Amino acid sequence: MELIIDRLTKQYKNKIAVDRISLTLNKGVYGLLGANGSGKTTLMRMLCGVLKPTSGEVKFNGIDVSQEEYRDSLGYLPQDFGYYPEFTAYEFLLYMASLKGLAKQSAKDKAKELLELVSLSDSAKKKIKTYSGGMKQRLGIAQAILNNPKILILDEPTAGLDPKERVRFRNLISQLGTDRIILLSTHIVSDIENIAGMILIMKDGQIVHKGGLDEIIKAIDGRVFECTVDAGEAGKLISMHTITNFRQENDKTFLRLICDKSPCENAISVKATLEDLYLYYFKEVNTDEKLF
Amino acid sequence: MDNNIKRKLKSVFEAPMPAKKDDFLNQLDYPKASRLDFIKSQAGYIRKQVWVLSLLLFIGTLILMYYFEVSDSVIWILSSALPFISLVSIGEIFRSITYNMDELEMSCKHNFLEISLIRFGILGLANLAVLISLLILLAGKTDFGFFRLGLYLTTPYLLNCYGSIFAVNRLKNREIVYVCGVVTASVSILNALFTTQINDIYTDKYWSFWIISFIILAVFSYKEILKLIKKMEELKWSLSLTV
């Protein structure tokens, strides 16, 4: 089982959204991390055959992304999806099952099984328009796995889920990831930290870093510090370094920051996390956002 | 194996729990629907209002014929109503875009293009059936004949198809069906005004006008439909979806 992405590029007029990405994905869960506009959604759309690449190719076990056989092996949850207003959750799953080529009886069985799995059995006959954001998201996850896909692509799957639902979702993904390729993107760093065996960090249309959690945070190992300083010193440190945590403690300020050497006398070196790394890589994006 | 032996074996030997049952089941392919099953299922997903409107037009014609003599008035009324059938059909084809289902449908085995073409085919056949039924009902009651009557009824219909698909091919928004509604209303009103203001519009004097209009609109509509299919193939819809 091998998904090969070869020099995949997407260009919109003078903006390159995805820039010559080459990757080989095997069985397992891959987490795609990146700021808004880094090209994650564009990459995922190209992997689903929804968007035509400007150049490059995507092949699963030798089958091109444009072929029906490829789509037969695919499950996709877009960032934002709609539904026909007259549909109930059960009807929606039957409709999606028909598009995925399932026979009528197996579509009914599978729809019931998945509604149970995502805890929507009690609301199966209710119109989707009455659902909350979390319920819609769970329904979206159910439709993505209707055809038992070999490639599962999930764009922001945990958006709108409450903490309990997120934990259940993580468990489900870990279970599914044992015998298929799962690529998921999210802004919630802890989701990636907990589920993904391989992390891909995307910036300006390119994969700037990839690897397992321990391997990937090595880049900032020994460079994460925590300290408690007075207001004047805090202001100085904030202007000079990437701050990953900030807290007011009585008349002092607690800071967690990334810098090449100890920033002050009482600073202690701590273990880096994926969130530190994320904030380190996207510090320019955060600075830009501050401008607005 | 004999049932008695089976029972005895069960009582003396405890079968082990199945190992890797889920893995084994996952390897099996699910039963797949044939292409014909898929087409039939799509016909079932066309909304009832499409069929109801077609039926209403047909019943309305029967009522008109029962109470009134078939005259030019009946023809302009019907030819002004027919574009609304094409509007409902166009709305049905682009329902995916209106309700933001297109991205999900594009990623499925039977994708957006295939679904749209099947809806095109089913609705096109349904519209044709309505049209032929109306012609059969009316042809014997007028002096125009089957072909000439067909021309009077289908020319405004074609103008609406052309105008609506022209708009769909050039505009990129989810409210495209409202634009098509405006096109349809304009075509219908124009047709009514045009045919009621010119008294001899359905006479030999304007015969060549009808033929030329029909041919031009048929060619233009065909070109726009080809453009639309190409646009769907190239998945250009995605451009409007991308942030």
Side-chain angles (χ1 to χ4, degrees):
Chain A
M1 194 180 287
E2 203 174 48
L3 180 68
I4 298 173
I5 303 164
D6 187 20
R7 286 164 293 166
L8 200 63
T9 303
K10 183 71 196 181
Q11 186 167 359
Y12 297 109
K13 291 180 183 158
N14 51 5
K15 186 190 178 344
I16 298 176
V18 170
D19 191 6
R20 288 162 297 161
I21 287 183
S22 293
L23 283 171
T24 300
L25 309 184
N26 302 105
K27 267 183 205 172
V29 183
Y30 294 80
L32 189 58
L33 208 53
N36 285 336
S38 58
K40 300 187 302 288
T41 297
T42 306
L43 172 66
M44 289 186 143
R45 281 178 177 158
M46 285 193 286
L47 296 184
C48 293
V50 165
L51 192 63
K52 198 175 181 179
T54 307
S55 63
E57 54 182 26
V58 179
K59 282 187 173 172
F60 173 64
N61 289 346
I63 307 159
D64 191 78
V65 66
S66 58
Q67 289 178 264
E68 186 181 298
E69 215 181 327
Y70 179 98
R71 294 195 301 274
D72 197 16
S73 309
L74 178 74
Y76 175 45
L77 172 68
Q79 197 174 37
D80 174 35
F81 69 95
Y83 49 86
Y84 297 132
E86 70 274 16
F87 275 171
T88 64
Y90 181 62
E91 286 164 347
F92 173 75
L93 287 186
L94 289 186
Y95 175 70
M96 291 308 296
S98 81
L99 302 191
K100 287 167 187 259
L102 268 74
K104 214 171 181 178
Q105 192 51 50
S106 61
K108 285 180 182 171
D109 296 342
K110 200 77 192 171
K112 280 178 194 155
E113 183 194 322
L114 289 174
L115 284 167
E116 186 75 49
L117 186 75
V118 295
S119 308
L120 287 175
S121 292
D122 294 339
S123 330
K125 297 281 160 70
K126 282 188 187 156
K127 293 257 162 72
I128 308 174
K129 60 184 171 192
T130 65
Y131 276 26
S132 67
M135 288 164 90
K136 275 181 207 156
Q137 198 66 5
R138 280 186 273 152
L139 184 63
I141 293 163
Q143 69 76 28
I145 51 180
L146 262 172
N147 55 334
N148 193 19
K150 301 280 180 289
I151 313 163
L152 186 55
I153 295 180
L154 309 164
D155 198 357
E156 303 279 354
T158 49
L161 299 184
D162 64 33
K164 199 174 144 198
E165 287 169 341
R166 269 173 51 206
V167 171
R168 286 194 56 207
F169 170 76
R170 283 181 201 163
N171 295 340
L172 173 67
I173 293 299
S174 303
Q175 210 180 323
L176 291 169
T178 55
D179 58 356
R180 72 198 77 211
I181 298 164
I182 301 182
L183 178 65
L184 65 98
S185 81
T186 177
H187 282 115
I188 304 165
V189 179
S190 62
D191 282 343
I192 297 249
E193 218 162 17
N194 284 293
I195 318 171
M198 178 75 88
I199 297 160
L200 309 167
I201 296 186
M202 200 167 173
K203 192 179 175 184
D204 299 329
Q206 290 182 322
I207 302 290
V208 290
H209 228 77
K210 62 177 175 186
L213 180 62
D214 293 337
E215 190 188 340
I216 212 163
I217 57 177
K218 261 186 195 159
I220 54 164
D221 230 10
R223 292 161 69 192
V224 184
F225 297 91
E226 282 181 358
C227 57
T228 307
V229 291
D230 59 41
E233 179 77 5
K236 207 173 97 190
L237 292 174
I238 289 168
S239 67
M240 288 166 64
H241 306 292
T242 305
I243 307 295
T244 63
N245 200 357
F246 172 102
R247 190 170 66 231
Q248 208 63 45
E249 288 179 346
N250 299 324
D251 57 339
K252 298 272 186 183
T253 306
F254 167 84
L255 294 176
R256 183 183 174 101
L257 44 88
I258 304 170
C259 54
D260 293 335
K261 55 181 186 171
S262 181
C264 57
E265 264 181 28
N266 69 347
I268 48 164
S269 175
V270 291
K271 195 175 172 355
T273 64
L274 188 59
E275 191 168 52
D276 294 323
L277 185 84
Y278 179 86
L279 292 168
Y280 179 70
Y281 271 117
F282 297 103
K283 60 186 172 194
E284 297 91 347
V285 176
N286 295 339
T287 314
D288 288 349
E289 279 170 359
K290 272 184 201 163
L291 292 173
F292 300 98
Chain B
M1 194 187 287
D2 183 76
N3 279 341
N4 201 23
I5 299 175
K6 271 189 193 172
R7 225 176 296 119
K8 278 182 182 168
L9 266 176
K10 269 188 187 171
S11 65
V12 294
F13 178 73
E14 195 181 334
M17 288 296 286
K20 296 185 176 178
K21 182 183 166 189
D22 288 339
D23 290 347
F24 171 73
L25 289 175
N26 271 339
Q27 282 170 8
L28 298 177
D29 261 352
Y30 55 86
K32 301 202 175 176
S34 66
R35 206 156 285 268
L36 186 66
D37 289 335
F38 174 64
I39 293 170
K40 279 197 274 184
S41 76
Q42 281 307 298
Y45 284 113
I46 290 173
R47 281 174 298 181
K48 286 185 190 79
Q49 66 196 64
V50 178
W51 310 119
V52 169
L53 191 73
S54 304
L55 198 69
L56 279 179
L57 188 75
F58 190 72
I59 293 169
T61 311
L62 287 177
I63 293 170
L64 275 176
M65 284 174 61
Y66 186 77
Y67 287 107
F68 305 98
E69 212 172 282
V70 177
S71 62
D72 288 4
S73 322
V74 171
I75 296 167
W76 78 252
I77 290 171
L78 282 178
S79 62
S80 301
L82 269 173
F84 287 97
I85 293 211
S86 82
L87 171 68
V88 180
S89 304
I90 288 169
E92 194 62 26
I93 293 162
F94 297 110
R95 203 150 63 106
S96 309
I97 298 164
T98 309
Y99 293 110
N100 197 14
M101 278 284 285
D102 42 353
E103 193 167 0
L104 266 184
E105 290 176 352
M106 276 179 198
S107 67
C108 290
K109 180 184 174 188
H110 300 292
N111 66 359
F112 177 61
L113 175 67
E114 204 176 329
I115 301 161
S116 303
L117 290 179
I118 287 171
R119 286 182 193 167
F120 250 131
I122 295 170
L123 293 166
L125 282 175
N127 285 1
L128 190 70
V130 170
L131 192 70
I132 290 174
S133 310
L134 292 178
L135 285 175
I136 291 170
L137 278 176
L138 295 172
K141 307 270 182 185
T142 67
D143 302 329
F144 296 136
F146 194 83
F147 179 68
R148 198 158 169 167
L149 195 60
L151 210 61
Y152 295 150
L153 292 181
T154 51
T155 306
Y157 175 89
L158 273 180
L159 177 62
N160 188 51
C161 283
Y162 170 67
S164 299
I165 301 174
F166 181 89
V168 166
N169 280 341
R170 280 150 191 87
L171 298 173
K172 269 188 223 165
N173 66 51
R174 301 202 182 280
E175 281 76 41
I176 190 73
V177 77
Y178 298 112
V179 178
C180 295
V182 172
V183 172
T184 305
S186 310
V187 168
S188 183
I189 293 167
L190 271 177
N191 179 65
L193 284 174
F194 197 61
T195 48
T196 48
Q197 294 304 307
I198 306 171
N199 289 331
D200 44 3
I201 190 79
Y202 294 130
T203 61
D204 285 345
K205 190 178 167 190
Y206 288 97
W207 176 231
S208 51
F209 161 77
W210 285 104
I211 291 192
I212 292 167
S213 303
F214 180 87
I215 293 170
I216 290 173
L217 288 171
V219 171
F220 280 15
S221 300
Y222 175 73
K223 279 188 173 174
E224 287 300 324
I225 289 171
L226 287 187
K227 246 185 224 171
L228 180 67
I229 293 171
K230 194 162 187 298
K231 187 174 172 174
M232 286 173 172
E233 276 172 352
E234 287 175 354
L235 309 173
K236 278 185 183 168
W237 296 111
S238 317
L239 291 175
S240 61
L241 297 167
T242 305
V243 182

